[in-house]
Coordinates of all heavy atoms in Angstrom, one line a residue:
N669 N 72.4 63.2 -92.1 CA 72.7 63.3 -90.7 C 71.6 62.8 -89.8 O 71.1 63.6 -88.9 CB 73.1 64.8 -90.3 CG 73.7 64.9 -88.9 OD1 74.4 64.0 -88.4 ND2 73.4 66.0 -88.3
F670 N 71.2 61.6 -90.0 CA 70.1 61.0 -89.2 C 70.7 60.2 -88.0 O 71.5 59.3 -88.2 CB 69.2 60.1 -90.0 CG 68.7 60.7 -91.3 CD1 68.7 60.0 -92.5 CD2 68.1 62.0 -91.2 CE1 68.2 60.6 -93.6 CE2 67.6 62.6 -92.3 CZ 67.6 61.9 -93.6
K671 N 70.3 60.6 -86.8 CA 70.9 59.9 -85.6 C 70.1 58.6 -85.3 O 70.7 57.6 -85.0 CB 70.8 60.8 -84.4 CG 71.4 60.2 -83.2 CD 71.3 61.2 -82.0 CE 71.8 60.5 -80.7 NZ 71.7 61.5 -79.5
T672 N 68.8 58.7 -85.4 CA 67.9 57.6 -85.0 C 67.3 56.9 -86.2 O 67.2 57.4 -87.3 CB 66.8 58.1 -84.0 OG1 65.9 58.8 -84.8 CG2 67.4 58.9 -82.9
T673 N 66.8 55.7 -85.9 CA 66.1 54.9 -86.9 C 64.8 55.6 -87.3 O 64.4 55.6 -88.4 CB 65.8 53.5 -86.4 OG1 67.1 52.9 -85.9 CG2 65.3 52.6 -87.5
H674 N 64.2 56.2 -86.3 CA 62.9 56.9 -86.5 C 63.2 58.1 -87.5 O 62.3 58.3 -88.4 CB 62.4 57.5 -85.2 CG 61.9 56.5 -84.2 ND1 60.7 55.8 -84.4 CD2 62.5 56.0 -83.1 CE1 60.5 55.0 -83.4 NE2 61.6 55.1 -82.6
E675 N 64.3 58.7 -87.4 CA 64.6 59.8 -88.4 C 64.7 59.3 -89.8 O 64.3 60.0 -90.8 CB 65.9 60.6 -87.9 CG 65.7 61.4 -86.7 CD 67.0 62.1 -86.3 OE1 67.6 62.7 -87.1 OE2 67.4 62.0 -85.1
I676 N 65.3 58.2 -90.0 CA 65.5 57.6 -91.3 C 64.1 57.3 -91.8 O 63.8 57.6 -93.0 CB 66.3 56.3 -91.2 CG1 67.8 56.7 -90.9 CG2 66.2 55.6 -92.6 CD1 68.7 55.4 -90.8
I677 N 63.2 56.6 -91.0 CA 61.9 56.3 -91.5 C 61.1 57.5 -91.8 O 60.4 57.6 -92.9 CB 61.2 55.5 -90.4 CG1 61.8 54.2 -90.1 CG2 59.7 55.3 -90.7 CD1 61.3 53.4 -88.9
N678 N 61.2 58.6 -91.0 CA 60.4 59.8 -91.2 C 60.9 60.6 -92.4 O 60.2 61.4 -93.0 CB 60.4 60.7 -90.0 CG 59.7 60.1 -88.8 OD1 58.8 59.2 -89.0 ND2 60.0 60.4 -87.6
N679 N 62.1 60.3 -92.9 CA 62.7 61.1 -94.0 C 62.9 60.2 -95.2 O 63.7 60.5 -96.1 CB 64.0 61.7 -93.6 CG 63.8 62.9 -92.6 OD1 63.5 64.0 -93.1 ND2 64.0 62.6 -91.4
I680 N 62.2 59.1 -95.3 CA 62.4 58.1 -96.3 C 62.2 58.7 -97.7 O 62.9 58.3 -98.7 CB 61.4 56.9 -96.1 CG1 61.9 55.7 -97.0 CG2 60.0 57.3 -96.4 CD1 61.2 54.4 -96.6
D681 N 61.4 59.7 -97.9 CA 61.2 60.3 -99.2 C 62.4 61.1 -99.7 O 62.4 61.5 -100.8 CB 59.9 61.2 -99.2 CG 58.6 60.3 -99.1 OD1 58.7 59.2 -99.6 OD2 57.7 60.8 -98.5
K682 N 63.3 61.5 -98.8 CA 64.4 62.3 -99.1 C 65.6 61.4 -99.5 O 66.7 61.9 -99.9 CB 64.8 63.1 -97.9 CG 63.8 64.2 -97.5 CD 64.2 65.0 -96.3 CE 63.1 66.0 -95.9 NZ 63.5 66.7 -94.7
L683 N 65.5 60.1 -99.4 CA 66.6 59.2 -99.6 C 66.7 58.8 -101.1 O 65.7 58.8 -101.8 CB 66.4 57.9 -98.8 CG 66.4 58.1 -97.3 CD1 66.1 56.7 -96.6 CD2 67.7 58.7 -96.8
P684 N 67.9 58.5 -101.6 CA 68.0 58.1 -103.0 C 67.4 56.7 -103.2 O 67.1 56.0 -102.2 CB 69.5 58.1 -103.2 CG 70.1 57.9 -101.8 CD 69.2 58.6 -100.9
N685 N 67.4 56.2 -104.4 CA 66.8 54.9 -104.7 C 67.7 53.7 -104.5 O 67.3 52.6 -104.7 CB 66.1 54.9 -106.0 CG 67.1 55.0 -107.2 OD1 68.3 55.2 -106.9 ND2 66.7 54.9 -108.4
K686 N 69.0 54.0 -104.1 CA 69.9 52.9 -103.8 C 70.6 53.2 -102.5 O 71.2 54.3 -102.3 CB 70.9 52.8 -105.0 CG 70.3 52.3 -106.3 CD 71.3 52.0 -107.3 CE 70.7 51.4 -108.6 NZ 71.7 51.0 -109.6
I687 N 70.5 52.2 -101.6 CA 71.0 52.4 -100.3 C 71.7 51.1 -99.8 O 71.2 50.0 -100.1 CB 69.9 52.8 -99.3 CG1 69.1 54.0 -99.8 CG2 70.5 53.1 -97.9 CD1 67.8 54.2 -99.0
L688 N 72.8 51.2 -99.1 CA 73.4 50.1 -98.4 C 73.3 50.4 -96.9 O 73.9 51.4 -96.5 CB 74.8 49.8 -98.8 CG 75.4 48.5 -98.3 CD1 76.6 48.1 -99.3 CD2 76.0 48.6 -96.9
F689 N 72.7 49.5 -96.1 CA 72.6 49.6 -94.7 C 73.5 48.6 -94.1 O 73.4 47.4 -94.4 CB 71.2 49.4 -94.2 CG 70.2 50.5 -94.4 CD1 69.3 50.4 -95.4 CD2 70.3 51.7 -93.7 CE1 68.4 51.4 -95.7 CE2 69.4 52.7 -93.9 CZ 68.5 52.6 -94.9
T690 N 74.4 49.0 -93.1 CA 75.2 48.0 -92.4 C 74.5 47.9 -91.0 O 74.4 48.9 -90.3 CB 76.6 48.5 -92.2 OG1 77.3 48.4 -93.5 CG2 77.4 47.6 -91.3
I691 N 74.1 46.7 -90.6 CA 73.5 46.4 -89.4 C 74.4 45.5 -88.5 O 74.9 44.5 -89.0 CB 72.1 45.7 -89.6 CG1 71.3 46.4 -90.7 CG2 71.4 45.4 -88.3 CD1 70.7 47.7 -90.2
H692 N 74.5 45.9 -87.3 CA 75.2 45.0 -86.3 C 74.2 44.4 -85.4 O 73.6 45.1 -84.5 CB 76.2 45.8 -85.5 CG 77.4 46.4 -86.3 ND1 77.3 47.6 -87.0 CD2 78.6 45.9 -86.5 CE1 78.4 47.8 -87.6 NE2 79.3 46.8 -87.3

């Protein structure tokens, strides 16, 4: 439940090792 890009960056260690990002 990350709203901002900063939150994703700050929680990078909590993410799995495979991710798909959709960017517009």
Side-chain angles (χ1 to χ4, degrees):
N669 189 34
F670 304 136
K671 179 180 178 181
T672 69
T673 309
H674 292 285
E675 289 179 49
I676 292 177
I677 295 170
N678 292 337
N679 289 278
I680 195 169
D681 290 330
K682 298 179 182 178
L683 300 178
N685 64 355
K686 292 188 177 181
I687 309 168
L688 190 156
F689 287 104
T690 292
I691 309 291
H692 293 83

